[in-house]
Amino acid sequence: SAVISQKPSRDICQRGTSLTIQCQVDSQVTMMFWYRQQPGQSLTLIATANQGSEATYESGFVIDKFPISRPNLTFSTLTVSNMSPEDSSIYLCSVGYRGLNTEAFFGQGTRLTVV
Amino acid sequence: GNSVTQMEGPVTLSEEAFLTINCTYTATGYPSLFWYVQYPGEGLQLLLKATKADDKGSNKGFEATYRKETTSFHLEKGSVQVSDSAVYFCALSDHGSSNTGKLIFGQGTTLQVKP
């Protein structure tokens, strides 16, 4: 298993500003992902964070809005840029290990409110 | 593409009642199946998993059996407690991603257990 620390745990931000969320894992992991959970909704994958290269984004998400970094095997950041109230969500970092039948492990999430 | 469908909630039960939350999936190949639980204000925790047909995952009194013939993975518990109140997510592994921990989630089912 993995212990995942996300910071901040919550924040209230003004529209038009940006917020960077950090995800730190206690061990080297193969894969890191970022999900969004809008109020009352399920989890939607934003992107896969790739070490040392550009993230792989899912349909509907773009790098300009959600830039992601992953400088090493234990750390990643997600930035929510030029925020609007529609960006109010919980953002979750998830990690996985390449192999057979592996589950994903999740951080506690960052609860973002944009006003 | 792959998808997961859960029964709509909220599900409201009295303590010690029997719980079933239905989950069906559409997938190519042989995905692994998971139930995650999200307690109020927290991130996601893995509740149980099953990696192949006819496997039964179990944890904390919850059970789910991987039924390939009906493409289902229904969650059951014989006697729920107030502390089981949470949101439950059914998920499958996207094996198109080489078993990396990338998951596809159902919409979530809110369970409320009353004393």
Side-chain angles (χ1 to χ4, degrees):
Chain A
S1 65
V3 177
I4 304 164
S5 300
Q6 252 187 263
K7 288 193 281 189
S9 59
R10 59 177 62 231
D11 207 343
I12 301 173
C13 299
Q14 297 290 323
R15 68 176 67 201
T17 62
S18 298
L19 176 72
T20 295
I21 302 167
Q22 298 181 359
C23 177
Q24 178 74 54
V25 190
D26 68 340
S27 60
Q28 293 187 344
V29 295
T30 309
M31 309 300 293
M32 295 182 79
F33 308 97
W34 288 98
Y35 289 83
R36 181 176 72 183
Q37 185 181 19
Q38 294 177 299
Q41 303 295 314
S42 186
L43 281 76
T44 302
L45 182 65
I46 297 172
T48 302
N50 300 310
Q51 186 204 356
S53 64
E54 192 171 289
T56 304
Y57 289 85
E58 299 297 309
S59 176
F61 297 96
V62 295
I63 188 171
D64 289 346
K65 177 65 176 177
F66 297 102
I68 288 171
S69 77
R70 188 180 175 190
N72 56 52
L73 290 175
T74 63
F75 185 78
S76 177
T77 65
L78 167 74
T79 299
V80 186
S81 303
N82 188 24
M83 288 183 285
S84 67
E86 292 71 34
D87 295 319
S88 298
S89 296
I90 299 173
Y91 293 86
L92 293 128
C93 172
S94 172
V95 304
Y97 300 87
R98 192 181 298 275
L100 290 176
N101 306 317
T102 180
E103 67 261 35
F105 302 93
F106 286 84
Q108 294 294 90
T110 296
R111 185 178 297 270
L112 171 63
T113 303
V114 183
V115 297
Chain B
N2 295 350
S3 66
V4 177
T5 302
Q6 285 179 240
M7 65 185 287
E8 290 190 16
V11 174
T12 303
L13 296 173
S14 298
E15 207 164 23
E16 299 183 2
F18 184 85
L19 168 71
T20 299
I21 301 178
N22 290 337
C23 171
T24 57
Y25 68 90
T26 301
T28 55
Y30 303 93
S32 294
L33 300 173
F34 309 90
W35 277 100
Y36 282 83
V37 58
Q38 185 177 36
Y39 297 103
E42 299 186 13
L44 270 70
Q45 302 174 25
L46 178 67
L47 182 58
L48 53 84
K49 68 176 182 180
T51 59
K52 60 183 186 297
D54 299 325
D55 267 4
K56 177 186 284 187
S58 61
N59 186 27
K60 299 181 181 180
F62 290 90
E63 293 182 340
T65 300
Y66 190 154
R67 301 285 188 200
K68 189 163 171 42
E69 64 275 13
T70 55
T71 61
S72 65
F73 192 55
H74 304 322
L75 182 68
E76 297 182 335
K77 186 174 185 182
S79 177
V80 294
Q81 305 300 313
V82 173
S83 57
D84 293 326
S85 298
V87 182
Y88 293 81
F89 292 94
C90 185
L92 64 80
S93 60
D94 183 357
H95 277 208
S97 302
S98 303
N99 307 325
T100 59
K102 181 178 177 181
L103 300 179
I104 296 171
F105 286 88
Q107 60 267 49
T109 302
T110 299
L111 171 65
Q112 297 176 334
V113 181
K114 298 187 175 181

